[in-house]
Amino acid sequence: QVQLVESGGGLVQAGGSLRLSCVVTRDIFILSTMAWYRQAPGRQREWVASVTIDLKEKYADFAKGRFTASRDNIKNTISLQMNSLKPEDTGIYYCKQELGGYWGQGTQVTVSS
């Protein structure tokens, strides 16, 4: 079965940090770019960052300089290190396999002011 399971969300004060992780079924992980998306209530889901099979990273403008995406091709995981968090970073963060469009269930990130 295909699984993408996020973890690491929680409550943090503005300026703080969180590290999110996503464990992915190997059969789909090894084939594709992996990505992080986020969605706030009443807002459209937006792309945050991606990392290719050969470890090339891309970031949305709001994430550049603050967030770092990575992947471990042995453990079949992706991570998102988030620093200097702002209240506007609040939302549900999702792991996605881009090739097949597989999504995790998401993990809640709440940044207080």
Side-chain angles (χ1 to χ4, degrees):
Q1 58 183 321
V2 172
Q3 289 187 306
L4 300 85
V5 182
E6 301 95 336
S7 62
L11 294 168
V12 65
Q13 288 186 294
S17 298
L18 285 172
R19 185 176 179 87
L20 309 182
S21 296
C22 177
V23 181
V24 186
T25 303
R26 183 168 181 80
D27 287 348
I28 67 167
F29 181 86
I30 60 174
L31 299 174
S32 176
T33 292
M34 300 295 301
W36 290 98
Y37 290 75
R38 71 184 187 184
Q39 188 169 24
R43 302 286 302 276
Q44 288 192 304
R45 193 168 297 184
E46 62 182 345
W47 171 72
V48 176
S50 61
V51 56
T52 65
I53 298 167
D54 59 343
L55 310 181
K56 295 179 180 178
E57 304 159 31
K58 292 183 178 180
Y59 299 93
D61 285 343
F62 64 79
K64 291 177 181 176
R66 297 192 298 131
F67 296 1
T68 302
S70 60
R71 70 186 285 160
D72 187 327
N73 288 340
I74 301 301
K75 296 182 178 180
N76 307 317
T77 61
I78 61 168
S79 297
L80 185 69
Q81 177 67 45
M82 303 186 292
N83 300 323
S84 302
L85 283 163
K86 306 171 182 179
E88 51 263 47
D89 294 320
T90 293
I92 302 173
Y93 284 69
Y94 297 90
C95 174
K96 184 190 178 188
Q97 193 256 40
E98 293 283 23
L99 183 61
Y102 297 102
W103 294 91
Q105 293 299 304
T107 185
Q108 177 71 45
V109 171
T110 303
V111 184
S112 65
S113 59

